[in-house]
Amino acid sequence: MEVGPKRPEFYVSVGGKAHAEEGLWAMQDLTARASIVARLVRVGRGLLGDCERYEAVTELRVHFGPGYRIYVVEDGPVLVVLLCG
């Protein structure tokens, strides 16, 4: 993954659903949700932090609670969020 600012966007399926975004906003733990959103904001500024790349997919680790993960792929200046939880 290239270092530098990226614009995080949620993946939208062919059916028009952004499952990762819906799951994020449905989280009952507001502090956990805020931690995940803050992580995406930092990535948007080019600060990747603790992450691991698995071929095209990158796992961003959120060190809060049980240890949340955000899975993303890079598409030029856009970071497509596939799954978070």
Side-chain angles (χ1 to χ4, degrees):
M1 179 175 297
E2 290 182 28
V3 177
K6 298 284 180 190
R7 188 177 70 246
E9 291 186 9
F10 289 93
Y11 172 76
V12 178
S13 70
V14 175
K17 292 239 180 216
H19 296 286
E21 184 176 23
E22 290 173 6
L24 176 63
W25 297 119
M27 288 181 74
Q28 298 297 312
D29 186 345
L30 299 181
T31 308
R33 183 190 318 164
S35 296
I36 293 170
V37 170
R39 182 81 160 94
L40 290 173
V41 168
R42 285 193 305 273
V43 168
R45 294 181 180 151
L47 305 170
L48 291 178
D50 186 13
C51 62
E52 184 72 34
R53 186 167 181 139
Y54 303 101
E55 297 192 22
V57 177
T58 301
E59 174 190 60
L60 306 171
R61 298 180 191 104
V62 179
H63 297 286
F64 178 82
Y68 294 96
R69 302 291 188 259
I70 305 167
Y71 294 94
V72 298
V73 292
E74 187 177 12
D75 185 17
V78 176
L79 204 60
V80 181
V81 179
L82 304 173
L83 176 69
C84 56

